[in-house]
Amino acid sequence: MPALGTDEILLELDGHVATITINRPAKLNSVTQEMSDALVVAATWANEEDEVRAVVLTGAGDRAFCAGSDIRSLDKYRTPWEFRNREDYCDALRLLRKPLIAAVNGYAFGGGLETAMTCDIRLASSTASFAAPEIKLGWIGGGGMSTFLARSIGPSNAAVMIMTGDPITAQQALAWNLVSEVVEPGALLPRARELATTIATRPPIAAETAKANLRAAFTMTQDEAIRYERDLQTITFATEDAAEGRRAFAEKRDAVFRRR
C-alpha cells in the first residue's frame, strides 16, 4: 500500500477490490489540497497495481459522501489563475482506468457531486442527497459539473440543479438516472462491494477497455463510436484472457483470468 501522507484518505484492498474512503466526517468529508494529493496517490497506485480490478469510493460516517472542497481552504490561492491550475481531486479520479463505483452515503454536494459523477457506477443510500450549490456562493462548479449532469439527467434537470443550487433526494436522483440504485444505509457499502467483486471476476483487460469505450463514446459520432468499439473488441479478443474465456466456456468450468 502506498503512503498517502494523511489519515483523512483511507485505502484498503480486499481480494481484487480496493476501497477509497474520504475520512473527514467531522467536516462532512470536505476535501483539502492535502486530501486531493492523497487521492492522486491512491488513484495512481490502483492503476498500477495488478491485484486491483475494481474500486469503491465512499465517505466516512453516515452524514456525507463528500461536501466538496473545504471552502475555508480556497482563500489560500493567491490569484484566480493559481486556483484555476490547482490539482483537483476530480481530475485524480478521472485518471483511474479501473471500474469505479461510488457508494454515496449522505451529502454529495459541489465537488462531492462531481466526484460521484466521475465514477462509472453510482449507488446511493436512501438518506443521500445531491446538490450543485456553488451558485449560492457566487461561482459555478469546475470539475465537470455541467457536462456530467447534462449527460446523466438531461439539460433541463441539470439547469434546475445548477441554477438553483438546491439539493435533490436520493429518490429524485434515481428517477432522473443520476444513480443506478438506492438502498438502505446499512446495505450501501456491502452492495457496492458486491457489485465491485462481480466486476472484478471479469477479465480485467476487457473491463478496463469497456470503461474506456464507454467514455470515448460520449465524444464521438455514432459511426465513429462503432468503429472504435470494433477496434477495441479486436484487441480484447486477441488477449490470453479471451482465449481462456473461450476454453472455459467449452470445458464448462470457471475461467481464470490473468490480465494477459
Side-chain angles (χ1 to χ4, degrees):
M1 288 287 185
L4 300 182
T6 176
D7 61 3
E8 292 180 336
I9 298 295
L10 305 179
L11 177 62
E12 59 181 300
L13 180 64
D14 183 8
H16 292 301
V17 176
T19 300
I20 299 173
T21 303
I22 304 171
N23 184 39
R24 201 182 179 214
K27 298 295 183 180
L28 299 179
N29 295 323
S30 58
V31 177
T32 64
Q33 189 58 54
E34 181 183 36
M35 294 165 68
S36 181
D37 294 341
L39 284 169
V40 173
V41 173
T44 301
W45 173 81
N47 271 338
E48 296 174 352
E49 176 54 62
D50 281 350
E51 287 300 306
V52 176
R53 298 188 180 182
V55 180
V56 172
L57 177 67
T58 194
D62 57 7
R63 296 179 63 203
F65 168 73
C66 174
S69 297
D70 185 333
I71 301 299
R72 290 164 297 187
S73 72
L74 299 181
D75 287 336
K76 74 175 186 178
Y77 296 104
R78 293 169 296 179
T79 65
W81 189 242
E82 185 179 13
F83 174 70
R84 160 66 177 81
N85 293 302
R86 73 196 185 284
E87 194 162 34
D88 187 81
Y89 45 96
C90 296
D91 296 337
L93 294 168
R94 267 194 292 275
L95 296 174
L96 267 172
R97 295 187 301 272
K98 313 294 174 70
L100 178 59
I101 299 171
V104 181
N105 50 309
Y107 299 126
F109 283 12
L113 174 55
E114 290 168 337
T115 298
M117 290 190 296
T118 297
C119 299
D120 304 297
I121 298 169
R122 290 173 293 280
L123 310 179
S125 88
S126 57
T127 57
S129 57
F130 303 81
E134 289 89 346
I135 196 168
K136 296 181 178 182
L137 299 175
W139 64 87
I140 63 171
M145 185 73 78
S146 296
T147 184
F148 283 134
L149 275 180
R151 288 174 178 175
S152 295
I153 65 178
S156 180
N157 292 332
V160 170
M161 291 190 70
I162 291 171
M163 293 179 186
T164 69
D166 292 336
I168 63 171
T169 65
Q171 291 71 27
Q172 186 65 68
L174 181 63
W176 282 359
N177 296 319
L178 183 58
V179 299
S180 296
E181 297 178 25
V182 174
V183 299
E184 290 306 304
L188 177 64
L189 198 52
R191 173 58 181 144
R193 286 175 169 157
E194 176 189 35
L195 185 56
T197 299
T198 297
I199 293 171
T201 66
R202 307 306 187 226
I205 293 175
E208 292 175 37
T209 304
K211 173 171 179 165
N213 186 45
L214 280 167
R215 292 198 168 188
F218 279 112
T219 64
M220 297 178 175
T221 66
Q222 189 172 68
D223 285 345
E224 289 170 337
I226 292 171
R227 285 195 298 271
Y228 184 66
E229 183 173 273
R230 189 69 48 80
D231 290 341
L232 292 181
Q233 181 191 49
T234 301
I235 291 168
T236 55
F237 188 80
T239 62
E240 291 182 23
D241 279 350
E244 163 65 6
R246 296 192 294 274
R247 283 194 302 270
F249 179 82
E251 296 168 8
K252 299 181 179 180
R253 60 172 174 83
D254 292 336
V256 179
F257 299 117
R258 305 183 185 279
R259 196 190 293 276
R260 295 175 184 170

